[in-house]
Every structure is written in C-alpha cells, then in structure tokens.
Amino acid sequence: MLRLRCLWLSSSSLPFKHQFLPSPILSSSSSSSFKSKMEAVSYSTQSSSSKKLLFRQLFEKESSTYTYLLADASHPDKPALLVDPVDRTVDRDLSLVKDLGLKLVYAINTHVHADHVTGSGLIKTKLPGVKSIISKASKASADILVEAGDKIQFGDLYLEVRATPGHTVGCVTYVTGDGPDQPQPRMAFTGDAVLIRGCGRTDFQGGSSQQLYESVHSQIFTLPEDTFIYPAHDYKGFTVSTVGEEMLYNPRLTKDEETFKSIMENLKLSYPKMIDVAVPANMVCGLQDVESKAV
C-alpha cells in the first residue's frame, strides 16, 4: 500500500546527500494504481531559520501533467503559488488551497503547453487577485513576464528563474532559492526540459535539440546533485528524481550532443492531439474561449 509522506528536513542538522528522501522511482507496474489513488504527494522542509515550505505534488491523468503547490507556511499570510495548473483540475487545486488556509498569489507556467490548457486564466476568474506568470520569451500573455535571473517571491521564500529553451523557445525552469534561509535540498521544476529518464520533444513550437541539450547541461545539471527534479509530466508512474540521478541514468541527456541530436531527430512522434486547441489558448493565459465570446 502506498502512503503519502510528509517530511520536515532541517538544514542545520542533516547531511543531505539523499538522506530521508522519498523513493523517487516507482515501477511501471505500479503506475496505474498509484496515479488513480494518489492526488498529492506531500513534502515539507524546514530551514535553520524556521522558514517552512509547504509542498504538494498533484496529478492530472488525461494529459499526465503534474501541478505543484508551494507555500510559505511560516509566513502570517501563508502565500502560495501553483506551477503548471491544468484547467480540468482547477477546482481541486483551489479546494486544496482553501483547506490548507493558504493565500494563492501566483499561477505560473514553465512554458506554453501543447497537451493541455493551462488553468491560469480560469484561476484568475475565480480568484481575481492571483497573478499569472510565464516567460517573456514565450511571447504569451500574462500579468508578469519573467526572464532568466528573476526571482518570484512568496513570503520569505522564492523561486529563481532559469531559461531552459529547447522543448519550446520559451521554456524556463523554476528553482527554489539558495541560501541558509531557503529550503534544502533545492527543488527544480523543469517543465518538459528534463523528464524523469527522458526529456521533452523538440520538433515543434520553435524547439531545438541543440538548444535543449545546452540548456539542460548549463542550467540544470550544474545544480547540486541532490536537487530534486520535478517535471511537468510523467507517463510511467515516476514522481521525482534528482539532478545526480538524471546525470547518471537519463538515456538521452547522458549522451554526447551529436548522439542526443540524432536521438531527438528520429523519435517519430505523432502530432500532439491537443496542440491546435492548447497552444492558442495558452498564448492568452488559457482564456481564449472567454475572450472570443466577449468579442
């Protein structure tokens, strides 16, 4: 029987190297029951200055998309953000936010998705104070457009923006902050740039296998090896990996650049079934239908 785990890690007392980590890889045979039964994985950290990160990993089964909820639980306002929300599961996500007594301030996307419609716009109609965030390079609409080096502050915690184009031109990775007042080990929300034992395709939306390879090796694989990797999708029942694991075992990204480019050029993947709906909608924060009807 699988159980949710809620961990409190103290940065002042633990030698982090993979100690007290949830088992990151589930066998493919367990993926069906796991995904049907689990809606959230709980993980919390506590630093030496008692700043706590509340974290939940949520799953949308139709597009196999992970949404992540992060909050500064020690701040009086309990400010929170959602990474890669999906329109189909907005009510579930907002119900969880309410149950936990959080104040949602941001709905952020790692890139313009092609396999689902983002929940950012729908969230804003239900909670008008929430701000949407996406990269400036994506050329999509949002309340806040971020670039490499920007910080997204929520309470006393923050996410660092790292540009990781290649899957699309506007992909970014959000990484939890560095320093004694930030949760450790760090966490990287990689979107489709790095998947667990894989990576996103590079044959549409301005994708480039060369650019993706360079992005991953310069912006993600340079993070500490115990940094958790949380991708936007998984199709085999995996939930979390680490930088160190992917540097050793990723069957694509461990290859040299030319071999990687050859692999990506010969995937022969089918045309994404949602792309003609999802991309136009996501370019306007998921509110394409609403805006069309208003006109």
Side-chain angles (χ1 to χ4, degrees):
M1 178 178 178
L2 292 170
R3 296 182 179 178
L4 300 179
R5 297 190 180 188
C6 184
L7 306 182
W8 296 91
L9 305 186
S10 170
S11 63
S12 62
S13 61
L14 290 182
F16 303 123
K17 204 68 172 181
H18 303 295
Q19 192 166 10
F20 297 110
L21 304 186
S23 300
I25 304 303
L26 298 177
S27 68
S28 58
S29 62
S30 67
S31 64
S32 177
S33 61
F34 168 79
K35 288 184 175 178
S36 64
K37 293 180 181 178
M38 283 187 67
E39 285 191 343
V41 172
S42 173
Y43 172 85
S44 302
T45 67
Q46 181 176 19
S47 72
S48 58
S49 57
S50 296
K51 293 184 176 64
K52 300 182 183 73
L53 171 68
L54 183 150
F55 173 70
R56 297 291 188 273
Q57 181 182 44
L58 301 141
F59 186 72
E60 195 283 308
K61 63 181 180 180
E62 289 191 39
S63 60
S64 296
T65 298
Y66 284 125
T67 296
Y68 300 98
L69 173 65
L70 293 83
D72 183 347
S74 68
H75 192 277
D77 295 332
K78 294 188 176 180
L81 56 82
L82 284 166
V83 180
D84 287 332
V86 180
D87 61 345
R88 297 187 186 97
T89 47
V90 161
D91 288 341
R92 176 203 64 186
D93 298 348
L94 296 186
S95 178
L96 180 60
V97 168
K98 182 179 179 181
D99 288 347
L100 296 175
L102 307 177
K103 180 182 179 181
L104 189 65
V105 291
Y106 297 123
I108 72 180
N109 284 284
T110 53
H111 62 291
V112 174
H113 298 275
D115 50 12
H116 68 270
V117 175
T118 177
S120 298
L122 187 55
I123 288 170
K124 284 168 58 61
T125 66
K126 294 174 179 288
L127 295 176
V130 174
K131 301 294 185 184
S132 59
I133 298 178
I134 201 166
S135 74
K136 184 177 181 179
S138 71
K139 302 188 185 305
S141 299
D143 296 310
I144 301 171
L145 301 176
V146 293
E147 299 179 278
D150 288 346
K151 293 181 179 179
I152 301 171
Q153 197 85 26
F154 56 111
D156 296 317
L157 306 177
Y158 70 89
L159 294 180
E160 170 197 340
V161 180
R162 294 193 171 207
T164 50
H167 170 60
T168 72
V169 293
C171 288
V172 293
T173 292
Y174 299 108
V175 186
T176 53
D178 192 16
D181 60 342
Q182 300 297 310
Q184 299 293 333
R186 300 179 76 181
M187 307 161 77
F189 301 93
T190 56
D192 287 21
V194 176
L195 305 179
I196 299 172
R197 307 300 192 263
C199 64
R201 61 195 295 174
T202 59
D203 58 336
F204 61 85
Q205 290 182 270
S208 164
S209 57
Q210 178 180 352
Q211 195 172 41
L212 179 58
Y213 190 88
E214 292 173 353
S215 294
V216 170
H217 283 265
S218 66
Q219 298 300 317
I220 298 174
F221 284 180
T222 53
L223 289 164
E225 290 186 11
D226 61 354
T227 301
F228 290 116
I229 285 181
Y230 286 101
H233 304 283
D234 188 81
Y235 310 98
K236 298 180 179 179
F238 298 164
T239 59
V240 59
S241 185
T242 65
V243 167
E245 279 188 32
E246 295 309 309
M247 290 175 68
L248 285 173
Y249 305 121
N250 192 295
R252 298 178 184 175
L253 293 163
T254 52
K255 303 294 191 293
D256 62 79
E257 184 174 338
E258 290 305 313
T259 303
F260 175 76
K261 288 164 63 177
S262 178
I263 291 171
M264 300 306 291
E265 289 166 3
N266 291 282
L267 291 178
K268 296 181 173 61
L269 298 173
S270 59
Y271 189 72
K273 62 181 181 180
M274 280 287 292
I275 189 170
D276 293 330
V277 174
V279 171
N282 291 337
M283 290 296 290
V284 290
C285 199
L287 285 177
Q288 177 178 263
D289 289 343
V290 174
E291 292 183 356
S292 297
K293 290 173 183 177
V295 173

